[in-house]
Amino acid sequence: MNNFDWVCSGYRLFSTVDIQAKVNADKLFVSLLKKIEDNRLDINKSFTIKEITELIPRGTADVENYATYGFSLMSMLSNQKQRDYFIFENEGVGDEFTSLCNNNHNRDNYYWKKHYLNEVVRINPKYVLNKEYPKNFFNLMQFFEGYVRNYRRLNLSVNHNRSMFTKREIDYFASLGEMLGFEVFIEDRKMDKVKGRSRPMDLAWWKWDKRISEEEYVSLDLHLERESVWGKDVETVEKLFSETEEGCVPTHVIGIQYIESEGRIDYLNNLVVEKNRQQQSSVLMVYRYWDVETEMEKVSTFWFHPDGKQDERHAFCKVDESGYWFMCF
């Protein structure tokens, strides 16, 4: 045990200064932190207990004995002796492990293996350095203002079909992302866990920084969907907020949607708020529809912050003397 490297001076993603005990359970935890960094995994991601055992199998840190390893792993996961190494998705499991570890009479050292291999945990942020790459937080309403003021430059005439409108508008945001320094992809892969398949994003902005990782993107900063068909308005929202892989949760989402009438907006906005409670993205929803009162096409836009606050703006779509569409406030 005296030869075990508790300081880990060569590592940069975690800190061991708050580790008080220095027995097998703590050695396994430090070994896990090293393994995560050595394998260039995301230290902030969620792990199943099975994934943890694959990273630190029996024999790690010289914990060879079968019974000792089982108990040490469960103790590492528990709150025994003020340990707080993990945050459980199901809070009660950690307490259950603690009770088992404190039972010295008829304890099952492999209870975790029999019942909780698929339990999800994450490393307590107090042990993580550089907890999160600094995210970009955009004023999405400013994006909308640029979209409105530059719409004439898209050169969309009354003779263009819906597909051309979709293409030009997606290309506009693709160019914006590239100018801001993102890697931009159209029809990019994104896993939908509920449907069990990939559902491509109309547009994605990815942040790449070799200083952080040479193999993975740092973050998905924007997922945009553009839809002209009224009947796909709910599907558009569902795509923006689909249950997906951890690295594919977007910081910002933009939905540009043609809808049947203004009366549809409240329903769609309520759906956005409900689904964003879990995702916690910054959201811009742009609805385009025929306004009966003004007898013009109107664009109503709502910006939802992760904390639930929202702003809104409205613009109109018109055709100029040469037959090309423009927007104005």
Side-chain angles (χ1 to χ4, degrees):
M1 187 175 298
N2 292 331
N3 295 325
F4 189 79
D5 180 14
W6 293 101
V7 178
C8 307
S9 56
Y11 292 84
R12 64 183 182 85
L13 295 184
F14 60 87
S15 170
T16 59
V17 297
D18 289 324
I19 295 176
Q20 301 300 318
K22 293 189 176 181
V23 295
N24 285 333
D26 313 291
K27 291 169 68 177
L28 289 177
F29 179 62
V30 174
S31 298
L32 174 65
L33 295 176
K34 291 179 179 179
K35 197 71 172 181
I36 289 171
E37 184 160 342
D38 287 341
N39 289 0
R40 296 184 176 181
L41 302 177
D42 180 1
I43 199 168
N44 297 296
K45 77 181 286 288
S46 295
F47 297 88
T48 64
I49 291 177
K50 181 180 180 181
E51 289 173 330
I52 288 174
T53 61
E54 290 170 350
L55 289 168
I56 50 169
R58 183 160 63 94
T60 298
D62 297 325
V63 185
E64 297 278 2
N65 182 273
Y66 180 81
T68 301
Y69 173 76
F71 171 73
S72 299
L73 189 87
M74 185 160 60
S75 180
M76 176 191 76
L77 292 164
S78 75
N79 299 316
Q80 189 190 37
K81 297 182 179 179
Q82 286 75 54
R83 292 188 178 95
D84 58 354
Y85 299 149
F86 297 93
I87 296 174
F88 281 78
E89 189 174 272
N90 180 357
E91 296 180 5
V93 176
D95 295 333
E96 190 173 356
F97 288 163
T98 303
S99 297
L100 287 166
C101 289
N102 290 332
N103 175 9
N104 295 319
H105 302 291
N106 57 348
R107 177 178 61 232
D108 182 351
N109 289 333
Y110 279 84
Y111 184 84
W112 53 268
K113 185 175 183 179
K114 297 172 182 175
H115 301 283
Y116 288 113
L117 276 182
N118 293 320
E119 187 64 30
V120 176
V121 302
R122 59 186 179 90
I123 308 295
N124 189 330
K126 71 181 284 187
Y127 298 99
V128 179
L129 300 176
N130 301 321
K131 297 181 178 63
E132 190 174 89
Y133 188 85
K135 291 184 177 180
N136 298 291
F137 285 103
F138 298 121
N139 182 334
L140 291 181
M141 196 58 79
Q142 194 67 47
F143 281 19
F144 175 66
E145 291 190 16
Y147 170 74
V148 169
R149 299 184 193 284
N150 287 283
Y151 201 80
R152 176 60 183 83
R153 297 184 181 181
L154 302 186
N155 283 328
L156 290 165
S157 77
V158 293
N159 296 318
H160 283 118
N161 59 22
R162 287 180 174 181
S163 296
M164 185 61 77
F165 276 72
T166 299
K167 180 183 183 302
R168 292 276 174 87
E169 292 181 34
I170 290 175
D171 286 346
Y172 169 82
F173 283 99
S175 297
L176 177 61
E178 289 172 345
M179 286 187 287
L180 291 173
F182 293 97
E183 294 209 10
V184 174
F185 299 93
I186 293 174
E187 291 294 309
D188 194 18
R189 175 191 176 277
K190 182 180 180 182
M191 183 64 186
D192 187 323
K193 290 185 176 180
V194 174
K195 293 188 176 293
R197 60 179 173 83
S198 174
R199 299 177 74 190
M201 299 176 279
D202 283 350
L203 180 71
W205 293 0
W206 291 91
K207 177 65 179 178
W208 173 263
D209 193 330
K210 192 175 181 180
R211 297 170 300 176
I212 304 300
S213 174
E214 295 183 358
E215 299 179 354
E216 297 180 347
Y217 288 102
V218 171
S219 58
L220 172 59
D221 276 68
L222 177 69
H223 172 186
L224 180 144
E225 291 293 324
R226 167 65 171 77
E227 182 55 64
S228 296
V229 179
W230 298 347
K232 292 185 177 182
D233 53 4
V234 171
E235 182 181 345
T236 299
V237 174
E238 290 176 345
K239 284 186 70 177
L240 291 169
F241 298 96
S242 60
E243 182 182 347
T244 189
E245 297 162 340
E246 190 166 358
C248 293
V249 177
T251 307
H252 306 84
V253 300
I254 296 178
I256 303 174
Q257 171 70 58
Y258 281 63
I259 58 175
E260 186 174 3
S261 68
E262 186 175 11
R264 188 69 169 163
I265 291 177
D266 286 344
Y267 174 81
L268 294 171
N269 281 348
N270 288 335
L271 186 61
V272 167
V273 171
E274 176 186 343
K275 290 186 172 295
N276 199 38
R277 288 194 182 100
Q278 176 66 31
Q279 185 163 297
Q280 290 290 289
S281 298
S282 181
V283 182
L284 189 74
M285 296 302 298
V286 182
Y287 304 113
R288 184 166 173 171
Y289 56 94
W290 179 257
D291 183 56
V292 176
E293 185 176 339
T294 60
E295 295 187 343
M296 287 191 294
E297 280 202 24
K298 188 174 182 180
V299 181
S300 294
T301 299
F302 300 83
W303 180 21
F304 300 90
H305 306 272
D307 60 5
K309 296 178 181 177
Q310 74 173 54
D311 297 321
E312 64 180 86
R313 288 207 68 176
H314 305 274
F316 290 95
C317 306
K318 297 182 179 181
V319 176
D320 65 17
E321 294 178 353
S322 57
Y324 284 83
W325 287 96
F326 69 98
M327 291 186 186
C328 60
F329 288 109

